[in-house]
Amino acid sequence: MTTGRTIHVHRHQWHLVWDHSISPIARIQSGETVSFDTLDASCGQIGPESTAESIAALDFTRLDQVSGPVYVEGAEPGDTLEVEFLDIQPAQWGWTAIIPGFGLLADEFPDPALKIWHLEGGADGWAEFAPGIRIPLSPFCGEIGLAPAAVGPHSTIPPYRHGGNMDTKHLTKGARLYLPVEVPGALFSLGDGHAAQGDGEVCGTAIETPMNVTVRLTTHKDMQVKEPQFITSGPLTERTNTAPYYVTDGIAPDLLEATRKAIRHMVEHLQKTYGLSRSDAYMLCSVAVDLKICEVVDMPNFLVGAFFPLSIFTA
């Protein structure tokens, strides 16, 4: 059943762990909509005037907070909760950072770095990385999930079978996500707004931004999923899949090391070809490069490709 009511979750109504003992801040019927006004992933510690010193001073216990939880009446363990993304609007600013200890190449980038972005044109707009390099915006939430049945608390940093920090760039407006319900009421929360991100989020941050997100939550009792599943809103990466890609391969007997090598090669390519600093090249990889597993059957090596869209260059 769909009703005309929309519940609003304010930006101060957040929590820092997944835990079914957290009291819901609202209760809705299946099919109703919820509008979330969320902080960025730093929980407000980073702002438009911040510098790299702000990264060094981050309180890590406040990172990746999620807004909610919302109780869906009638949702029971074994059901599936459908999350339909009706609208996703970023703020007018965002940030990307190298945070010491985070990211695919954390050992190779030990120093903090921060880029503040000005976001133009809302959800269908763009952000300028540097003169001649524009990133099309495609906003989504990195954190989307339900409370687990297991006794908490559980960190919001990793993904789980009930959702969490999935960082899946294709959960944009119009997409539908299906999550397994583990506790009565499902206890839905979301956060970690991203204005744009490459598949993989290699440095550990995307274009992080506060977000306004509206979703419709619907319980399905005749559908069971063991882990998250979703339907995209249409063809993938329509706004960047408009020109050739430059691809660097990484080959190794370990899939993670093959991924690291692909990104190392891309960082070097961006430095040599476009004159970017090593830190800027790494952050650009995080917001624009898509990682793809190209080969997993010809042992002893795996092959991972880092796909860089040449469409982001405006000159």
Side-chain angles (χ1 to χ4, degrees):
M1 179 182 69
T2 301
T3 75
R5 187 175 71 140
T6 298
I7 299 298
H8 186 72
V9 177
H10 299 274
R11 63 176 48 198
H12 66 274
Q13 295 176 305
W14 49 262
H15 54 101
L16 287 164
V17 294
W18 299 106
D19 191 331
H20 63 244
S21 68
I22 297 174
S23 297
I25 54 92
R27 301 173 80 97
I28 67 168
Q29 299 295 320
S30 175
E32 291 188 322
T33 59
V34 186
S35 174
F36 291 84
D37 182 16
T38 71
L39 292 167
D40 68 290
S42 77
C43 203
Q45 296 180 81
I46 303 297
E49 307 303 321
S50 294
T51 65
E53 286 70 30
S54 303
I55 299 299
L58 279 176
D59 179 355
F60 287 85
T61 66
R62 292 174 58 195
L63 297 185
D64 276 349
Q65 82 291 337
V66 288
S67 297
V70 173
Y71 189 104
V72 183
E73 299 285 359
E76 297 291 342
D79 296 344
T80 292
L81 188 73
E82 175 186 323
V83 184
E84 180 184 0
F85 295 92
L86 302 178
D87 193 37
I88 307 176
Q89 294 293 330
Q92 294 182 325
W93 69 277
W95 60 272
T96 302
I98 297 175
I99 302 175
F102 280 76
L104 184 69
L105 303 180
D107 292 344
E108 300 173 32
F109 290 85
D111 299 321
L114 177 67
K115 178 172 182 59
I116 300 295
W117 304 76
H118 178 65
L119 309 183
E120 296 275 0
D124 297 319
W126 53 272
E128 187 173 76
F129 182 82
I133 305 177
R134 285 187 174 184
I135 306 297
L137 302 188
S138 185
F140 69 99
C141 287
E143 291 267 8
I144 313 158
L146 310 180
V151 174
H154 303 274
S155 170
T156 58
I157 298 299
Y160 304 91
R161 68 179 298 272
H162 54 85
N165 198 12
M166 298 186 289
D167 285 331
T168 301
K169 64 180 280 186
H170 306 299
L171 294 175
T172 54
K173 179 180 176 179
R176 297 170 185 255
L177 172 66
Y178 302 95
L179 298 171
V181 176
E182 295 191 1
V183 298
L187 297 177
F188 175 83
S189 302
L190 60 70
D192 189 22
H194 293 172
Q197 179 202 289
D199 271 331
E201 197 191 28
V202 296
C203 83
T205 57
I207 300 181
E208 311 289 337
T209 182
M211 202 89 89
N212 290 309
V213 184
T214 302
V215 298
R216 178 180 292 118
L217 303 178
T218 304
T219 302
H220 294 279
K221 294 188 172 293
D222 58 350
M223 176 183 183
Q224 286 78 40
V225 297
K226 295 181 178 179
E227 293 185 333
Q229 299 179 13
F230 63 94
I231 301 174
T232 69
S233 62
L236 302 183
T237 58
E238 287 184 289
R239 301 189 67 205
T240 54
N241 192 24
T242 59
Y245 286 76
Y246 190 90
V247 182
T248 53
D249 285 339
I251 301 171
D254 176 82
L255 192 59
L256 187 56
E257 182 56 29
T259 307
R260 291 191 181 105
K261 290 176 70 175
I263 291 298
R264 288 189 193 110
H265 299 330
M266 182 58 74
V267 167
E268 292 172 2
H269 169 73
L270 295 175
Q271 287 181 269
K272 293 176 181 177
T273 306
Y274 302 105
L276 298 179
S277 71
R278 192 162 184 263
S279 292
D280 277 353
Y282 186 40
M283 287 191 282
L284 185 57
C285 285
S286 203
V287 301
V289 165
D290 289 332
L291 289 167
K292 300 180 185 294
I293 298 174
C294 299
E295 186 279 307
V296 293
V297 297
D298 296 321
M299 301 302 179
N301 288 329
F302 302 104
L303 191 149
V304 174
F307 285 66
F308 185 83
L310 299 183
S311 60
I312 70 173
F313 293 104
T314 60

